mmCIF file of all heavy atoms in Angstrom:
data_model
loop_
_atom_site.group_PDB
_atom_site.id
_atom_site.type_symbol
_atom_site.label_atom_id
_atom_site.label_comp_id
_atom_site.label_asym_id
_atom_site.label_seq_id
_atom_site.Cartn_x
_atom_site.Cartn_y
_atom_site.Cartn_z
ATOM 1 N N ARG L 25 12.666 6.644 23.042
ATOM 2 C CA ARG L 25 13.703 5.794 22.460
ATOM 3 C C ARG L 25 14.803 6.582 21.763
ATOM 4 O O ARG L 25 15.980 6.289 21.842
ATOM 5 C CB ARG L 25 13.115 4.712 21.553
ATOM 6 C CG ARG L 25 13.909 3.502 21.447
ATOM 7 C CD ARG L 25 13.958 2.807 22.749
ATOM 8 N NE ARG L 25 14.947 1.673 22.759
ATOM 9 C CZ ARG L 25 15.364 1.145 23.872
ATOM 10 N NH1 ARG L 25 14.894 1.618 25.050
ATOM 11 N NH2 ARG L 25 16.239 0.163 23.877
ATOM 12 N N ALA L 26 14.328 7.626 21.048
ATOM 13 C CA ALA L 26 15.270 8.496 20.336
ATOM 14 C C ALA L 26 16.164 9.203 21.374
ATOM 15 O O ALA L 26 17.426 9.263 21.135
ATOM 16 C CB ALA L 26 14.583 9.483 19.538
ATOM 17 N N LEU L 27 15.582 9.678 22.421
ATOM 18 C CA LEU L 27 16.413 10.371 23.513
ATOM 19 C C LEU L 27 17.439 9.378 24.112
ATOM 20 O O LEU L 27 18.623 9.751 24.294
ATOM 21 C CB LEU L 27 15.514 10.969 24.563
ATOM 22 C CG LEU L 27 16.222 11.713 25.699
ATOM 23 C CD1 LEU L 27 16.986 12.934 25.151
ATOM 24 C CD2 LEU L 27 15.160 12.153 26.740
ATOM 25 N N TYR L 28 17.001 8.204 24.373
ATOM 26 C CA TYR L 28 17.937 7.190 24.894
ATOM 27 C C TYR L 28 19.058 6.931 23.979
ATOM 28 O O TYR L 28 20.259 6.886 24.425
ATOM 29 C CB TYR L 28 17.132 5.878 25.166
ATOM 30 C CG TYR L 28 18.066 4.645 25.442
ATOM 31 C CD1 TYR L 28 18.688 4.555 26.674
ATOM 32 C CD2 TYR L 28 18.245 3.748 24.476
ATOM 33 C CE1 TYR L 28 19.526 3.452 26.933
ATOM 34 C CE2 TYR L 28 19.052 2.644 24.703
ATOM 35 C CZ TYR L 28 19.703 2.520 25.923
ATOM 36 O OH TYR L 28 20.526 1.403 26.143
ATOM 37 N N MET L 29 18.817 6.818 22.733
ATOM 38 C CA MET L 29 19.885 6.544 21.766
ATOM 39 C C MET L 29 20.814 7.735 21.584
ATOM 40 O O MET L 29 21.944 7.565 21.348
ATOM 41 C CB MET L 29 19.301 6.218 20.336
ATOM 42 C CG MET L 29 18.446 4.924 20.335
ATOM 43 S SD MET L 29 19.395 3.459 20.743
ATOM 44 C CE MET L 29 20.460 3.373 19.337
ATOM 45 N N MET L 30 20.312 8.941 21.758
ATOM 46 C CA MET L 30 21.155 10.141 21.603
ATOM 47 C C MET L 30 22.029 10.389 22.817
ATOM 48 O O MET L 30 23.046 10.951 22.746
ATOM 49 C CB MET L 30 20.242 11.329 21.268
ATOM 50 C CG MET L 30 19.728 11.336 19.866
ATOM 51 S SD MET L 30 18.810 12.836 19.460
ATOM 52 C CE MET L 30 17.294 12.641 20.324
ATOM 53 N N THR L 31 21.486 9.977 23.950
ATOM 54 C CA THR L 31 22.218 10.349 25.205
ATOM 55 C C THR L 31 22.916 9.209 25.953
ATOM 56 O O THR L 31 23.764 9.448 26.713
ATOM 57 C CB THR L 31 21.215 11.033 26.244
ATOM 58 O OG1 THR L 31 20.115 10.078 26.506
ATOM 59 C CG2 THR L 31 20.606 12.334 25.564
ATOM 60 N N GLN L 32 22.468 8.001 25.657
ATOM 61 C CA GLN L 32 23.058 6.832 26.389
ATOM 62 C C GLN L 32 23.622 5.780 25.391
ATOM 63 O O GLN L 32 24.773 5.363 25.606
ATOM 64 C CB GLN L 32 21.982 6.224 27.312
ATOM 65 C CG GLN L 32 21.491 7.139 28.411
ATOM 66 C CD GLN L 32 20.519 6.440 29.318
ATOM 67 O OE1 GLN L 32 20.823 5.409 29.964
ATOM 68 N NE2 GLN L 32 19.351 7.025 29.483
ATOM 69 N N CYS L 33 22.875 5.410 24.438
ATOM 70 C CA CYS L 33 23.367 4.391 23.518
ATOM 71 C C CYS L 33 23.837 5.021 22.187
ATOM 72 O O CYS L 33 23.273 4.831 21.133
ATOM 73 C CB CYS L 33 22.267 3.414 23.209
ATOM 74 S SG CYS L 33 22.776 1.969 22.277
ATOM 75 N N TYR L 34 24.802 5.967 22.310
ATOM 76 C CA TYR L 34 25.139 6.888 21.204
ATOM 77 C C TYR L 34 26.254 6.412 20.305
ATOM 78 O O TYR L 34 26.831 7.153 19.525
ATOM 79 C CB TYR L 34 25.424 8.284 21.801
ATOM 80 C CG TYR L 34 26.458 8.272 22.937
ATOM 81 C CD1 TYR L 34 27.893 8.184 22.631
ATOM 82 C CD2 TYR L 34 26.027 8.254 24.173
ATOM 83 C CE1 TYR L 34 28.771 8.193 23.642
ATOM 84 C CE2 TYR L 34 26.928 8.210 25.228
ATOM 85 C CZ TYR L 34 28.266 8.172 24.998
ATOM 86 O OH TYR L 34 29.206 8.092 26.052
ATOM 87 N N GLY L 35 26.724 5.149 20.489
ATOM 88 C CA GLY L 35 27.829 4.644 19.620
ATOM 89 C C GLY L 35 27.469 4.542 18.176
ATOM 90 O O GLY L 35 26.301 4.469 17.826
ATOM 91 N N ASN L 36 28.491 4.596 17.330
ATOM 92 C CA ASN L 36 28.290 4.343 15.903
ATOM 93 C C ASN L 36 27.996 2.842 15.696
ATOM 94 O O ASN L 36 28.726 1.974 16.128
ATOM 95 C CB ASN L 36 29.565 4.760 15.152
ATOM 96 C CG ASN L 36 29.301 4.732 13.643
ATOM 97 O OD1 ASN L 36 28.735 3.800 13.126
ATOM 98 N ND2 ASN L 36 29.885 5.707 12.952
ATOM 99 N N PRO L 37 26.891 2.490 15.102
ATOM 100 C CA PRO L 37 26.527 1.055 14.911
ATOM 101 C C PRO L 37 27.641 0.275 14.213
ATOM 102 O O PRO L 37 27.628 -0.991 14.288
ATOM 103 C CB PRO L 37 25.264 1.045 14.098
ATOM 104 C CG PRO L 37 24.616 2.396 14.420
ATOM 105 C CD PRO L 37 25.763 3.327 14.576
ATOM 106 N N SER L 38 28.532 0.959 13.473
ATOM 107 C CA SER L 38 29.617 0.243 12.746
ATOM 108 C C SER L 38 30.786 0.066 13.562
ATOM 109 O O SER L 38 31.761 -0.625 13.144
ATOM 110 C CB SER L 38 29.937 1.023 11.440
ATOM 111 O OG SER L 38 28.776 0.995 10.535
ATOM 112 N N SER L 39 30.958 0.722 14.742
ATOM 113 C CA SER L 39 32.033 0.593 15.593
ATOM 114 C C SER L 39 32.110 -0.757 16.187
ATOM 115 O O SER L 39 31.118 -1.407 16.491
ATOM 116 C CB SER L 39 32.077 1.724 16.657
ATOM 117 O OG SER L 39 32.146 2.946 16.088
ATOM 118 N N LEU L 40 33.357 -1.247 16.442
ATOM 119 C CA LEU L 40 33.529 -2.661 16.924
ATOM 120 C C LEU L 40 33.490 -2.690 18.415
ATOM 121 O O LEU L 40 33.434 -3.811 19.003
ATOM 122 C CB LEU L 40 34.881 -3.231 16.434
ATOM 123 C CG LEU L 40 34.969 -3.315 14.929
ATOM 124 C CD1 LEU L 40 36.329 -3.866 14.518
ATOM 125 C CD2 LEU L 40 33.806 -4.118 14.376
ATOM 126 N N HIS L 41 33.570 -1.578 19.171
ATOM 127 C CA HIS L 41 33.559 -1.617 20.633
ATOM 128 C C HIS L 41 32.103 -1.836 21.196
ATOM 129 O O HIS L 41 31.162 -1.937 20.391
ATOM 130 C CB HIS L 41 34.131 -0.374 21.256
ATOM 131 C CG HIS L 41 33.476 0.964 20.717
ATOM 132 N ND1 HIS L 41 32.218 1.261 20.872
ATOM 133 C CD2 HIS L 41 34.132 1.930 20.021
ATOM 134 C CE1 HIS L 41 32.009 2.443 20.265
ATOM 135 N NE2 HIS L 41 33.234 2.883 19.785
ATOM 136 N N SER L 42 31.988 -2.059 22.476
ATOM 137 C CA SER L 42 30.702 -2.477 23.090
ATOM 138 C C SER L 42 29.620 -1.440 22.834
ATOM 139 O O SER L 42 28.451 -1.784 22.650
ATOM 140 C CB SER L 42 30.891 -2.738 24.578
ATOM 141 O OG SER L 42 31.409 -1.551 25.194
ATOM 142 N N LEU L 43 29.969 -0.163 22.865
ATOM 143 C CA LEU L 43 28.936 0.876 22.692
ATOM 144 C C LEU L 43 28.374 0.859 21.295
ATOM 145 O O LEU L 43 27.167 0.991 21.012
ATOM 146 C CB LEU L 43 29.488 2.279 23.022
ATOM 147 C CG LEU L 43 28.429 3.393 23.341
ATOM 148 C CD1 LEU L 43 27.463 2.913 24.445
ATOM 149 C CD2 LEU L 43 29.084 4.660 23.636
ATOM 150 N N GLY L 44 29.295 0.593 20.310
ATOM 151 C CA GLY L 44 28.884 0.438 18.925
ATOM 152 C C GLY L 44 28.020 -0.805 18.767
ATOM 153 O O GLY L 44 27.023 -0.803 18.033
ATOM 154 N N ALA L 45 28.413 -1.894 19.407
ATOM 155 C CA ALA L 45 27.694 -3.183 19.286
ATOM 156 C C ALA L 45 26.289 -3.058 19.867
ATOM 157 O O ALA L 45 25.312 -3.550 19.346
ATOM 158 C CB ALA L 45 28.440 -4.288 20.000
ATOM 159 N N GLU L 46 26.195 -2.295 20.979
ATOM 160 C CA GLU L 46 24.836 -2.035 21.596
ATOM 161 C C GLU L 46 23.957 -1.265 20.613
ATOM 162 O O GLU L 46 22.765 -1.545 20.479
ATOM 163 C CB GLU L 46 25.007 -1.324 22.951
ATOM 164 C CG GLU L 46 23.679 -1.164 23.663
ATOM 165 C CD GLU L 46 23.796 -0.441 24.949
ATOM 166 O OE1 GLU L 46 24.912 -0.110 25.361
ATOM 167 O OE2 GLU L 46 22.767 -0.148 25.553
ATOM 168 N N ALA L 47 24.527 -0.240 19.998
ATOM 169 C CA ALA L 47 23.764 0.578 19.029
ATOM 170 C C ALA L 47 23.302 -0.307 17.886
ATOM 171 O O ALA L 47 22.186 -0.202 17.349
ATOM 172 C CB ALA L 47 24.557 1.726 18.561
ATOM 173 N N PHE L 48 24.172 -1.180 17.419
ATOM 174 C CA PHE L 48 23.821 -2.037 16.287
ATOM 175 C C PHE L 48 22.655 -2.992 16.644
ATOM 176 O O PHE L 48 21.816 -3.233 15.865
ATOM 177 C CB PHE L 48 25.061 -2.851 15.900
ATOM 178 C CG PHE L 48 24.766 -3.832 14.725
ATOM 179 C CD1 PHE L 48 24.733 -3.325 13.421
ATOM 180 C CD2 PHE L 48 24.572 -5.177 14.922
ATOM 181 C CE1 PHE L 48 24.480 -4.151 12.317
ATOM 182 C CE2 PHE L 48 24.294 -6.006 13.919
ATOM 183 C CZ PHE L 48 24.249 -5.537 12.588
ATOM 184 N N ARG L 49 22.753 -3.482 17.899
ATOM 185 C CA ARG L 49 21.603 -4.350 18.328
ATOM 186 C C ARG L 49 20.254 -3.665 18.354
ATOM 187 O O ARG L 49 19.247 -4.219 17.993
ATOM 188 C CB ARG L 49 21.982 -4.983 19.710
ATOM 189 C CG ARG L 49 23.023 -6.070 19.727
ATOM 190 C CD ARG L 49 23.054 -6.801 20.982
ATOM 191 N NE ARG L 49 23.496 -5.898 22.139
ATOM 192 C CZ ARG L 49 24.734 -5.783 22.472
ATOM 193 N NH1 ARG L 49 25.740 -6.409 21.848
ATOM 194 N NH2 ARG L 49 25.154 -4.981 23.489
ATOM 195 N N GLU L 50 20.339 -2.411 18.816
ATOM 196 C CA GLU L 50 19.077 -1.573 18.841
ATOM 197 C C GLU L 50 18.566 -1.374 17.431
ATOM 198 O O GLU L 50 17.397 -1.486 17.138
ATOM 199 C CB GLU L 50 19.381 -0.194 19.471
ATOM 200 C CG GLU L 50 19.634 -0.222 20.931
ATOM 201 C CD GLU L 50 18.347 -0.428 21.719
ATOM 202 O OE1 GLU L 50 17.246 -0.284 21.211
ATOM 203 O OE2 GLU L 50 18.425 -0.654 22.974
ATOM 204 N N LEU L 51 19.509 -1.163 16.438
ATOM 205 C CA LEU L 51 19.129 -0.917 15.111
ATOM 206 C C LEU L 51 18.430 -2.200 14.522
ATOM 207 O O LEU L 51 17.391 -2.137 13.889
ATOM 208 C CB LEU L 51 20.392 -0.588 14.295
ATOM 209 C CG LEU L 51 20.235 -0.172 12.828
ATOM 210 C CD1 LEU L 51 21.400 0.725 12.419
ATOM 211 C CD2 LEU L 51 20.213 -1.413 11.908
ATOM 212 N N GLU L 52 18.982 -3.352 14.789
ATOM 213 C CA GLU L 52 18.418 -4.588 14.313
ATOM 214 C C GLU L 52 17.111 -4.953 15.011
ATOM 215 O O GLU L 52 16.183 -5.560 14.375
ATOM 216 C CB GLU L 52 19.429 -5.721 14.467
ATOM 217 C CG GLU L 52 20.632 -5.553 13.554
ATOM 218 C CD GLU L 52 20.276 -5.346 12.113
ATOM 219 O OE1 GLU L 52 19.553 -6.209 11.533
ATOM 220 O OE2 GLU L 52 20.586 -4.265 11.553
ATOM 221 N N THR L 53 16.971 -4.578 16.276
ATOM 222 C CA THR L 53 15.669 -4.784 16.999
ATOM 223 C C THR L 53 14.577 -3.940 16.261
ATOM 224 O O THR L 53 13.459 -4.426 16.073
ATOM 225 C CB THR L 53 15.771 -4.328 18.436
ATOM 226 O OG1 THR L 53 16.728 -5.209 19.046
ATOM 227 C CG2 THR L 53 14.428 -4.441 19.119
ATOM 228 N N SER L 54 14.944 -2.715 15.900
ATOM 229 C CA SER L 54 13.898 -1.830 15.218
ATOM 230 C C SER L 54 13.664 -2.342 13.826
ATOM 231 O O SER L 54 12.510 -2.315 13.335
ATOM 232 C CB SER L 54 14.493 -0.448 15.162
ATOM 233 O OG SER L 54 14.609 0.106 16.436
ATOM 234 N N ARG L 55 14.650 -2.907 13.162
ATOM 235 C CA ARG L 55 14.431 -3.465 11.790
ATOM 236 C C ARG L 55 13.430 -4.559 11.864
ATOM 237 O O ARG L 55 12.592 -4.696 11.007
ATOM 238 C CB ARG L 55 15.741 -4.001 11.216
ATOM 239 C CG ARG L 55 15.710 -4.280 9.711
ATOM 240 C CD ARG L 55 16.935 -4.893 9.172
ATOM 241 N NE ARG L 55 18.129 -4.133 9.472
ATOM 242 C CZ ARG L 55 18.618 -3.093 8.791
ATOM 243 N NH1 ARG L 55 17.895 -2.653 7.759
ATOM 244 N NH2 ARG L 55 19.696 -2.496 9.211
ATOM 245 N N ARG L 56 13.495 -5.422 12.842
ATOM 246 C CA ARG L 56 12.578 -6.520 13.039
ATOM 247 C C ARG L 56 11.182 -5.976 13.358
ATOM 248 O O ARG L 56 10.228 -6.490 12.822
ATOM 249 C CB ARG L 56 13.020 -7.477 14.195
ATOM 250 C CG ARG L 56 14.209 -8.305 13.887
ATOM 251 C CD ARG L 56 14.460 -9.384 14.896
ATOM 252 N NE ARG L 56 14.815 -8.844 16.239
ATOM 253 C CZ ARG L 56 16.051 -8.623 16.578
ATOM 254 N NH1 ARG L 56 17.070 -8.852 15.736
ATOM 255 N NH2 ARG L 56 16.301 -8.152 17.816
ATOM 256 N N ALA L 57 11.064 -4.954 14.109
ATOM 257 C CA ALA L 57 9.728 -4.386 14.470
ATOM 258 C C ALA L 57 9.047 -3.756 13.215
ATOM 259 O O ALA L 57 7.823 -3.970 12.997
ATOM 260 C CB ALA L 57 9.941 -3.289 15.555
ATOM 261 N N VAL L 58 9.802 -3.009 12.452
ATOM 262 C CA VAL L 58 9.239 -2.389 11.247
ATOM 263 C C VAL L 58 8.925 -3.487 10.173
ATOM 264 O O VAL L 58 7.915 -3.434 9.483
ATOM 265 C CB VAL L 58 10.194 -1.314 10.660
ATOM 266 C CG1 VAL L 58 9.607 -0.702 9.451
ATOM 267 C CG2 VAL L 58 10.362 -0.221 11.702
ATOM 268 N N ALA L 59 9.824 -4.491 10.052
ATOM 269 C CA ALA L 59 9.483 -5.537 9.143
ATOM 270 C C ALA L 59 8.206 -6.318 9.498
ATOM 271 O O ALA L 59 7.424 -6.631 8.609
ATOM 272 C CB ALA L 59 10.707 -6.525 9.136
ATOM 273 N N ARG L 60 7.991 -6.541 10.819
ATOM 274 C CA ARG L 60 6.776 -7.153 11.241
ATOM 275 C C ARG L 60 5.533 -6.344 10.806
ATOM 276 O O ARG L 60 4.488 -6.886 10.481
ATOM 277 C CB ARG L 60 6.793 -7.361 12.729
ATOM 278 C CG ARG L 60 7.531 -8.561 13.205
ATOM 279 C CD ARG L 60 7.189 -8.868 14.688
ATOM 280 N NE ARG L 60 7.446 -7.794 15.596
ATOM 281 C CZ ARG L 60 8.635 -7.629 16.225
ATOM 282 N NH1 ARG L 60 9.680 -8.468 16.008
ATOM 283 N NH2 ARG L 60 8.797 -6.581 17.010
ATOM 284 N N LEU L 61 5.677 -5.109 10.828
ATOM 285 C CA LEU L 61 4.600 -4.125 10.531
ATOM 286 C C LEU L 61 4.073 -4.366 9.053
ATOM 287 O O LEU L 61 2.885 -4.215 8.781
ATOM 288 C CB LEU L 61 5.029 -2.693 10.669
ATOM 289 C CG LEU L 61 3.985 -1.594 10.626
ATOM 290 C CD1 LEU L 61 3.125 -1.645 11.869
ATOM 291 C CD2 LEU L 61 4.639 -0.269 10.463
ATOM 292 N N ILE L 62 4.939 -4.741 8.188
ATOM 293 C CA ILE L 62 4.646 -4.910 6.745
ATOM 294 C C ILE L 62 4.679 -6.361 6.304
ATOM 295 O O ILE L 62 4.661 -6.658 5.089
ATOM 296 C CB ILE L 62 5.474 -4.052 5.821
ATOM 297 C CG1 ILE L 62 6.967 -4.389 5.978
ATOM 298 C CG2 ILE L 62 5.216 -2.592 6.176
ATOM 299 C CD1 ILE L 62 7.852 -3.600 4.993
ATOM 300 N N GLY L 63 4.835 -7.258 7.279
ATOM 301 C CA GLY L 63 4.864 -8.707 6.935
ATOM 302 C C GLY L 63 6.069 -9.110 6.056
ATOM 303 O O GLY L 63 5.958 -9.863 5.125
ATOM 304 N N ALA L 64 7.265 -8.510 6.504
ATOM 305 C CA ALA L 64 8.504 -8.880 5.711
ATOM 306 C C ALA L 64 9.550 -9.503 6.632
ATOM 307 O O ALA L 64 9.452 -9.445 7.853
ATOM 308 C CB ALA L 64 8.978 -7.531 5.076
ATOM 309 N N ARG L 65 10.604 -10.030 6.042
ATOM 310 C CA ARG L 65 11.745 -10.477 6.830
ATOM 311 C C ARG L 65 12.624 -9.290 7.133
ATOM 312 O O ARG L 65 12.755 -8.311 6.306
ATOM 313 C CB ARG L 65 12.491 -11.539 5.967
ATOM 314 C CG ARG L 65 11.712 -12.730 5.557
ATOM 315 C CD ARG L 65 12.634 -13.672 4.786
ATOM 316 N NE ARG L 65 11.884 -14.825 4.250
ATOM 317 C CZ ARG L 65 11.335 -14.885 3.089
ATOM 318 N NH1 ARG L 65 11.361 -13.860 2.285
ATOM 319 N NH2 ARG L 65 10.746 -15.988 2.681
#
């Protein structure tokens, strides 16, 4: 997943274009996964 983010989904999550939006979605997907791990929102 790290390699994918570095080589394909490499946009800045704060950028407004589509590559940035895709990176932001990945970031939020991971936030949900880690939050589930500790029983948090």
Side-chain angles (χ1 to χ4, degrees):
R25 206 64 191 164
L27 180 61
Y28 167 75
M29 295 299 294
M30 288 187 285
T31 59
Q32 297 183 55
C33 187
Y34 51 82
N36 187 319
S38 296
S39 295
L40 299 180
H41 50 63
S42 59
L43 198 56
E46 185 181 354
F48 180 78
R49 284 193 295 272
E50 289 283 349
L51 186 152
E52 293 307 301
T53 296
S54 295
R55 194 186 307 277
R56 289 192 293 272
V58 177
R60 280 196 299 272
L61 190 72
I62 58 173
R65 302 179 183 92

